[in-house]
Amino acid sequence: MTDRVVTRFAPSPTGFLHIGGARTALFNWLYARHTGGKMLLRIEDTDRERSTEAAVTAIIEGLDWLGLTADGPPVSQFERAARHRAVAEEMVARGNAYYCYASQAELEEMREKAKAEKRPPRYDGRWRDRDPAEAPSGVKPVVRLRAPLDGETIVRDRVQGEVRFPNKDLDDLVLLRSDGTPTYMHAVVVDDHDMGVTHIIRGDDHLTNAARQTLIYKAMGWDVPEMAHIPLIHGADGAKLSKRHGALGVEAYRAMGYLPKGLLNYLARLGWSHGDDEIMSIEQMIGWFDVDDVNKGASRFDFAKLEAVNGHWMRASSDEELVEALMRERDHLPNGEILKRRDDATVRRQLTAAMPGLKERAKTLVELAESSAYLFADRPLPFEERAEAILADGGRVVIAGLLPGLSSLAEWTPEALEAVVREYAEANGLKLGKAAQPLRAALTGRTTSPGVFDVLSVLGREESLARLGDQAG
Ligand code: GLU
């Protein structure tokens, strides 16, 4: 045995990797990296009705995209059913669990009785000490844990503190169903133990489960892992996170054009803080993260903040990184076809040339792709309404006036281009902006773009003059 930390992320593949799950994975991953340990991935696919292969694939793809890869192949909970059964049988042999032959009708009766007496429904332990020789024939029993009747179970949680559960509230839970399949509660404990998990970091909706699971560990004489139950994410209005608030799958965030490092930075700050630091690189997060610093209160999801953080990481990325991110992500972006309008080499070259001007304004890859559209537009350009209005309202006259000077330029550089436009503006009593505006409209079809001299220089002489010529008539 070593003391090496082993965490795990244990999603149920009943849907895609949602944003709360991604944060749980991130905290597990950060803690493992911070401590020099490892993070394992377990797919909790025992619910055969609701688990799908597509969801497993989406979860793994989502984790890969975020860079939260597990240190080992994913473990399928379903495939470990025989081991779960064996452990339950072992518990029966040790006297820590027993066969229960209560029928559905009996259980129903117990529930009704509890309800009438205003008690929480609880199995009454009728097979706990009964001689198995009395078992009715032809009935397949379930296996129940022989849980302590009094005292309390204490969960020492790294986030929630010491949480006490009176044992009288934790009944003899079912470990194995009558068909021999394990219950979720049992499978999780056996898997965590066998996988050598030392730290369980998960949503605080599992806190009560932690008490029940503690009883199973104790019954087997196993060490109880450290627990850290992290508060759920709420919407900006404080209500439980719904689709409207951003409770979407990770792939939806990918489609919105967030960078993994932007999304991870934002997610890390949802419920955890390091002083006043808002912007953190992955290396910094690894260096600083500790489960003890996770807040106890629920955090609120805030799209505006996510955008701002992502915008920071866009600006902090090198031009090359952003070009590669666009090329890699284009099949995931709703407007990714913009980046397929020319052959890849041309797209890369044009993006690289334009990137310094483009990246200052874009908070997401979607915005970045959108703002690069002018590079790959076919002539005659489509015009936004406001751009067309500028051209119609005297803009075309300006362009016709600028064209001779621009076409006779020896050197097509931003400086030389600016000099021509300045000269023309001065000679005609125009402010520089009044000359630049129609240029921008004619070159990009829009009223906003990077600096117009950059646009001219990135498009190059031939394409620029052709676009201007289209408007000069
Ligand atoms: N499969 C559970 C879930 O997706 C997590 C169980 C656990 O972390 O123990 O909520």
Side-chain angles (χ1 to χ4, degrees):
M1 272 298 282
T2 65
D3 291 323
R4 207 169 157 206
V5 164
V6 179
T7 66
R8 79 338 184 240
F9 177 51
S12 305
T14 52
F16 293 159
L17 175 61
H18 60 92
I19 200 71
R23 188 195 53 165
T24 301
L26 171 64
F27 284 7
N28 277 286
W29 186 86
L30 284 176
Y31 193 63
R33 289 289 168 281
H34 176 78
T35 54
K38 56 183 181 174
M39 178 185 84
L40 302 176
L41 174 63
R42 180 171 69 239
I43 304 292
E44 303 213 310
D45 50 359
T46 40
D47 183 343
R48 302 314 282 169
E49 302 271 281
R50 295 176 60 226
S51 300
T52 67
E53 242 347 277
V56 174
T57 309
I59 289 169
I60 293 177
E61 267 178 19
L63 291 173
D64 281 350
W65 173 65
L66 287 169
L68 304 178
T69 28
D71 301 298
V75 172
S76 155
Q77 189 159 66
F78 175 69
E79 285 172 11
R80 294 180 33 83
R83 167 69 179 153
H84 302 142
R85 223 165 13 245
V87 172
E89 301 295 350
E90 192 183 329
M91 284 164 86
V92 174
R94 289 165 169 236
N96 291 329
Y98 60 91
Y99 294 111
C100 165
Y101 295 86
S103 67
Q104 281 309 320
E106 285 176 86
L107 294 172
E108 189 52 39
E109 201 181 302
M110 272 178 237
R111 264 194 294 274
E112 288 302 321
K113 190 155 172 270
K115 213 162 129 194
E117 292 169 10
K118 299 202 162 31
R119 288 184 290 109
R122 193 176 181 287
Y123 172 72
D124 66 4
R126 63 181 60 182
W127 280 95
R128 201 176 152 104
D129 298 309
R130 203 155 149 187
D131 187 345
E134 292 173 33
S137 65
V139 177
K140 286 210 174 108
V142 300
V143 173
R144 285 185 186 271
L145 177 75
R146 191 187 300 278
L149 299 174
D150 35 47
E152 52 184 12
T153 295
I154 301 174
V155 175
R156 290 196 176 79
D157 194 88
R158 297 275 293 267
V159 175
Q160 310 290 334
E162 199 174 89
V163 191
R164 293 164 176 267
F165 297 85
N167 286 334
K168 67 174 175 41
D169 295 342
L170 309 171
D171 57 2
D172 287 354
L173 59 102
V174 175
L175 303 173
L176 281 192
R177 300 188 191 91
S178 56
D179 64 1
T181 59
T183 56
Y184 164 72
M185 208 67 77
H186 178 59
V188 167
V189 171
V190 177
D191 291 347
D192 281 336
H193 173 77
D194 288 359
M195 290 163 75
V197 170
T198 61
H199 290 72
I200 294 177
I201 304 171
R202 63 185 171 193
D204 67 7
D205 48 336
H206 289 285
L207 188 59
T208 310
N209 291 347
R212 294 180 182 278
Q213 289 165 359
T214 298
L215 294 178
I216 303 177
Y217 280 104
K218 296 219 160 125
M220 279 307 288
W222 290 341
D223 287 341
V224 183
E226 298 249 352
M227 307 263 187
H229 286 89
I230 59 181
L232 300 182
I233 304 174
H234 284 187
D237 54 6
K240 198 170 170 286
L241 200 67
S242 68
K243 281 228 163 74
R244 176 172 56 88
H245 296 117
L248 305 166
V250 159
E251 76 291 338
Y253 290 87
R254 186 174 193 177
M256 285 184 257
Y258 293 107
L259 298 176
K261 57 184 161 186
L263 189 54
L264 291 177
N265 182 166
Y266 178 69
L267 286 179
R269 285 286 295 104
L270 271 182
W272 169 69
S273 50
H274 178 264
D276 292 331
D277 292 302
E278 291 292 347
I279 298 294
M280 308 177 208
S281 68
I282 289 165
E283 291 67 34
Q284 287 171 319
M285 291 191 258
I286 291 173
W288 295 335
F289 186 79
D290 197 332
V291 274
D292 295 323
D293 299 329
V294 172
N295 307 330
K296 246 174 149 172
S299 45
R300 296 188 178 198
F301 196 87
D302 178 349
F303 263 112
K305 206 162 155 194
L306 167 58
E307 284 224 327
V309 171
N310 199 68
H312 168 89
W313 286 108
M314 297 272 295
R315 291 186 299 280
S317 297
S318 69
D319 297 350
E320 200 183 10
E321 255 180 284
L322 290 174
V323 172
E324 288 317 310
L326 282 174
M327 298 304 277
R328 196 176 51 240
E329 295 298 317
R330 61 188 169 174
D331 288 334
H332 297 271
L333 305 176
N335 58 354
E337 52 79 32
I338 290 172
L339 307 163
K340 294 182 184 168
R341 289 182 188 159
R342 299 284 182 272
D343 64 275
D344 284 7
T346 307
V347 171
R348 270 209 172 78
R349 194 181 57 246
Q350 292 286 80
L351 282 176
T352 306
M355 198 50 80
L358 295 177
K359 79 176 181 192
E360 285 309 311
R361 314 164 168 259
K363 293 201 211 61
T364 64
L365 293 177
V366 172
E367 289 179 14
L368 195 59
E370 197 56 42
S371 67
S372 76
Y374 81 90
L375 294 168
F376 315 114
D378 286 322
R379 295 176 37 231
L381 251 47
F383 288 96
E384 277 176 1
E385 218 170 288
R386 279 164 54 216
E388 174 54 38
I390 288 169
L391 291 170
D393 187 18
R396 292 196 169 89
V397 178
V398 173
I399 289 170
L402 278 165
L403 257 178
L406 292 173
S407 6
S408 60
L409 260 183
E411 253 185 287
W412 196 262
T413 60
E415 300 71 30
L417 290 159
E418 182 167 349
V420 171
V421 178
R422 261 186 204 289
E423 204 177 301
Y424 172 86
E426 271 163 32
N428 291 277
L430 294 174
K431 288 209 169 112
L432 185 64
K434 281 284 170 213
Q437 224 180 18
L439 275 179
R440 164 174 290 127
L443 293 165
T444 67
R446 304 187 176 190
T447 51
T448 54
S449 77
V452 74
F453 304 112
D454 280 342
V455 170
L456 280 161
S457 116
V458 169
L459 283 175
R461 175 197 291 267
E462 197 185 329
E463 180 67 18
S464 299
L465 293 177
R467 290 186 188 189
L468 296 176
D470 289 343
Q471 300 312 315

